[in-house]
Amino acid sequence: MRIVLGLTVLAVLPALLMCVTSFLRTIIVLSMLRHAIGMPETPPNPVLIGLALFLTLFTMAPALTQVSEKAFQPFMNGTIGMEAAYQRGAEPLREFMVRQTREQDLALMIELSKAKPPRSMDDVSNVQLIPAFMLSELRAAFQIGFVIFLPFLLIDLIVSSVLMALGMMMMPPTTVALPLKILMFILVDGWTLVLRALVGSFH
């Protein structure tokens, strides 16, 4: 039974990672950063996914620790059953998702599901909470991505204006702007700023 459960968890692990953890916001922000710089394929996808996975472990460490202590280890020791392990393991993840989910997004999912208004968060099912959490994560990721895009957009505008003023209209602005954006990103220690802001955006 434990082997079947383990194989099932491995099969649905990518979906769980995407739907109930901070991975969604993290990978979107990193992807938008890559596009803002102007290098759609650098860093490569495996590098971004690996970095996003470790950042997810950092931000989800308290919740994952509770899942291990309250659900996984007791179940593996045979002290609790599968249903009890599921309920105990879901509680820390639900608490994390509730903290990140906006009330408007949760109200939208409850409205779309045509369910009765819940009296408390305990009455909100995972079917309603998880898509609301994902919607809030998408919103937060796009807000962070918009802020990231602004300085790079400013460099593009300045380079385009300078090239037009010099009469160099045949030269693509990206040829000049890309090295300048990379240089600026290095000088301000951009990776540190982005990762610190990204991890700090979770509460």
Side-chain angles (χ1 to χ4, degrees):
M1 188 64 181
R2 293 177 181 177
I3 296 177
V4 174
L5 179 62
L7 293 176
T8 303
V9 171
L10 289 177
V12 301
L13 186 60
L16 292 176
L17 181 67
M18 187 70 66
C19 296
V20 302
T21 68
S22 58
F23 181 82
L24 180 61
R25 183 191 306 188
T26 304
I27 193 63
I28 290 178
V29 170
L30 294 178
S31 298
M32 294 184 73
L33 171 63
R34 183 172 63 177
H35 285 278
I37 296 176
M39 299 183 295
E41 298 181 359
T42 305
N45 288 332
V47 175
L48 290 188
I49 293 174
L51 182 58
L53 285 174
F54 279 103
L55 292 178
T56 301
L57 290 177
F58 297 155
T59 55
M60 298 293 299
L64 295 179
T65 300
Q66 293 183 29
V67 171
S68 177
E69 293 177 351
K70 295 181 178 180
F72 182 73
Q73 293 181 6
F75 175 76
M76 295 303 295
N77 294 332
T79 57
I80 61 175
M82 183 183 303
E83 184 176 354
Y86 169 78
Q87 293 177 352
R88 292 186 182 184
E91 289 178 1
L93 295 178
R94 280 179 59 90
E95 292 176 2
F96 174 81
M97 288 189 289
V98 169
R99 290 198 303 269
Q100 315 303 324
T101 305
R102 299 192 314 151
E103 293 183 3
Q104 300 91 322
D105 298 329
L106 186 58
L108 173 63
M109 292 304 162
I110 294 174
E111 179 184 352
L112 294 177
S113 64
K114 298 180 180 179
K116 296 181 179 180
R119 296 181 180 179
S120 65
M121 287 305 303
D122 294 335
D123 298 331
V124 178
S125 67
N126 292 333
V127 177
Q128 299 164 344
L129 178 59
I130 292 176
F133 167 74
M134 295 180 66
L135 188 60
S136 297
E137 289 294 281
L138 288 173
R139 177 184 176 88
F142 274 73
Q143 288 176 337
I144 298 173
F146 173 76
V147 176
I148 291 175
F149 259 95
L150 289 180
F152 297 108
L153 177 61
L154 181 61
I155 292 178
D156 287 333
L157 292 176
I158 293 175
V159 169
S160 298
S161 300
V162 171
L163 290 178
M164 291 187 64
L166 295 176
M168 304 173 64
M169 292 178 290
M170 298 300 294
M171 176 176 288
T174 54
T175 305
V176 180
L178 181 58
L180 293 178
K181 288 190 285 188
I182 296 176
L183 178 62
M184 182 202 71
F185 194 69
I186 294 173
L187 291 177
V188 301
D189 199 6
W191 285 110
T192 300
L193 295 176
V194 171
L195 297 187
R196 180 175 294 148
L198 182 57
V199 174
S201 66
F202 295 95
H203 47 79

